[in-house]
Amino acid sequence: MGSPPGLESDRYCLVFIDQITNDLTKRFTSCLIYQNSVAFIMIENLELHHLRTLNALFDTHSITSAAESLNISQQAVSLKLNKMREILGDPLFIREGHGMVPTTYALELQPHIETILVHLSQLPRPGGKPVDNTERTLVISATDYTQQILLQPLFGELRQRFPHAKLMITNIESSSLTKRMSHGEIQLAFTSAGYVPEGLISIPLFSESYRCVTGNASLASQAPLSLAELENYPFVVTNPGTAILSGSADHWLARQGITRHVVASAPSFDRAMQMIKSTDVIGFIPSRLLPCEGLYEMPLSKYPPGYQVVVAHHPNTLNDPLVNWVIEAVKQLV
């Protein structure tokens, strides 16, 4: 039977072309998948010592010299070369005279191998020095006290040493600090020793002591006040993150038989100092925040114990060069 005339003939022709096109596309796709699979298998089977052996052969064009540069035997180089020939499906190096010459395919591989080895040599080592041009963002959680005493001067040091680095400071937190540090959201915390959550590494920096201050100059006296006399004054206490009308000194005062009259709780020493300046309350303020304009010390016969200022970090940053640099820089500042 002959081909249908006119439009029917054209339709059959288009169907035939379409079938051929689909068949070629499937074969081409299968070929690409096969080639990619082979390439993946090749790369998966290559190991670092193979690349170093090839690089040595590129440099020396000799199995003997390559073995000397790698500090291995000639037999080991030959075995590695044979293994790579098997993996890559190419002779790679052909003996010529007293040396070895690379194949065309080997020459194609050479710049890629050199690049890989260069990048590997530039990998940072644990506990090494931080890169000067680092663009990392450092997140620090800190009390208002350590923000003022430590982080303000630290930022100046950081800007000079790492001008491309960035610093983010958040108010101190305890409830989720360990979790956020383990997730890399916070790198360092500056606080007092008693507020470091379990699971973090705590490094002592210095000890701080308290002074009793007032905003009323007439109350400042050269004669030390007894602890019993403190019961006559209204107190403001500082409790970061927790609004309670008791402070760290209350347990110590109770052991001395003293109960102070707490009328206010402030979230920071800065806020407590402002309240002392503007009202009749008195309070215990860290000595390094003094002297301060508008505040006057009230000498005591006996002072409550101070506290230890620490820097804390998660064990996963133990070998972080930038974190270690910051810790050492802060130690120098104090």
Side-chain angles (χ1 to χ4, degrees):
M1 180 182 295
S3 298
L7 292 175
E8 284 298 312
S9 177
D10 291 340
R11 186 174 68 83
Y12 288 147
C13 183
L14 289 173
V15 170
F16 178 69
I17 292 173
D18 187 54
Q19 289 176 343
I20 293 176
T21 303
N22 287 338
D23 184 58
L24 288 174
T25 301
K26 290 178 180 177
R27 292 189 181 189
F28 178 70
T29 302
S30 298
C31 183
L32 284 178
I33 292 173
Y34 173 75
Q35 289 178 346
N36 289 337
S37 299
V38 171
F40 176 78
I41 293 171
M42 287 163 46
I43 294 170
E44 189 182 45
N45 290 329
L46 281 175
E47 297 180 13
L48 181 58
H49 64 87
H50 292 141
L51 303 185
R52 286 177 173 156
T53 301
L54 278 178
N55 195 53
L57 288 170
F58 284 129
D59 289 340
T60 64
H61 292 265
S62 164
I63 288 181
T64 302
S65 300
E68 291 176 356
S69 67
L70 295 170
N71 197 29
I72 59 177
S73 67
Q74 295 181 38
Q75 182 182 9
V77 173
S78 296
L79 290 173
K80 292 177 189 291
L81 179 57
N82 289 334
K83 182 63 176 179
M84 286 183 287
R85 286 168 171 167
E86 178 185 335
I87 293 171
L88 297 173
D90 187 87
L92 298 174
F93 283 86
I94 299 173
R95 189 172 298 280
E96 185 177 273
H98 296 291
M100 306 283 286
V101 294
T103 64
T104 304
Y105 177 61
L107 291 173
E108 289 182 29
L109 292 176
Q110 185 176 10
H112 299 286
I113 292 172
E114 290 177 347
T115 300
I116 291 170
L117 293 177
V118 167
H119 283 310
L120 285 172
S121 69
Q122 294 174 346
L123 286 175
R125 290 171 173 78
K129 292 183 178 180
V131 182
D132 291 346
N133 61 351
T134 181
E135 297 182 356
R136 282 182 59 185
T137 297
L138 190 68
V139 182
I140 296 177
S141 176
T143 61
D144 73 301
Y145 167 81
T146 55
Q147 288 180 34
Q148 183 173 339
I149 299 300
L150 297 176
L151 298 191
Q152 190 167 319
L154 173 65
F155 183 58
E157 296 285 333
L158 188 70
R159 288 292 299 157
Q160 289 185 3
R161 182 69 171 79
F162 306 103
H164 301 292
K166 300 176 182 63
L167 176 64
M168 295 175 63
I169 300 173
T170 67
N171 290 328
I172 194 63
E173 58 175 277
S174 297
S175 59
S176 61
L177 185 59
T178 302
K179 181 179 179 181
R180 294 191 65 187
M181 282 189 156
S182 68
H183 291 172
E185 298 174 14
I186 296 174
Q187 284 75 51
L188 289 165
F190 289 87
T191 183
S192 55
Y195 290 92
V196 177
E198 187 178 351
L200 300 181
I201 298 173
S202 179
I203 301 171
L205 295 176
F206 61 90
S207 294
E208 177 60 287
S209 59
Y210 286 112
R211 295 291 181 267
C212 186
V213 298
T214 176
N216 187 346
S218 65
L219 294 179
S221 170
Q222 295 298 321
L225 294 174
S226 67
L227 293 181
E229 291 177 284
L230 289 179
E231 293 183 325
N232 300 322
Y233 297 94
F235 264 88
V236 59
V237 295
T238 303
N239 286 303
T242 307
I244 55 174
L245 292 174
S246 63
S248 58
D250 284 309
H251 295 293
W252 178 81
L253 288 169
R255 290 196 296 270
Q256 316 302 314
I258 304 299
T259 301
R260 61 177 173 172
H261 180 42
V262 179
V263 300
S265 175
S268 67
F269 284 117
D270 180 68
R271 179 50 49 198
M273 291 164 72
Q274 296 302 318
M275 295 169 74
I276 294 170
K277 288 180 183 180
S278 59
T279 68
D280 62 337
V281 298
I282 67 173
F284 290 124
I285 299 298
S287 63
R288 295 195 184 207
L289 294 178
L290 302 171
C292 175
E293 185 179 356
L295 291 181
Y296 307 92
E297 183 177 351
M298 301 171 65
L300 303 179
S301 59
K302 197 174 184 180
Y303 288 90
Y307 60 95
Q308 192 174 61
V309 177
V310 301
V311 56
H313 65 97
H314 195 273
N316 62 14
T317 61
L318 190 62
N319 290 318
D320 187 313
L322 185 57
V323 167
N324 289 333
W325 180 89
V326 170
I327 293 172
E328 292 304 316
V330 169
K331 287 181 179 179
Q332 295 300 318
L333 290 174
V334 300

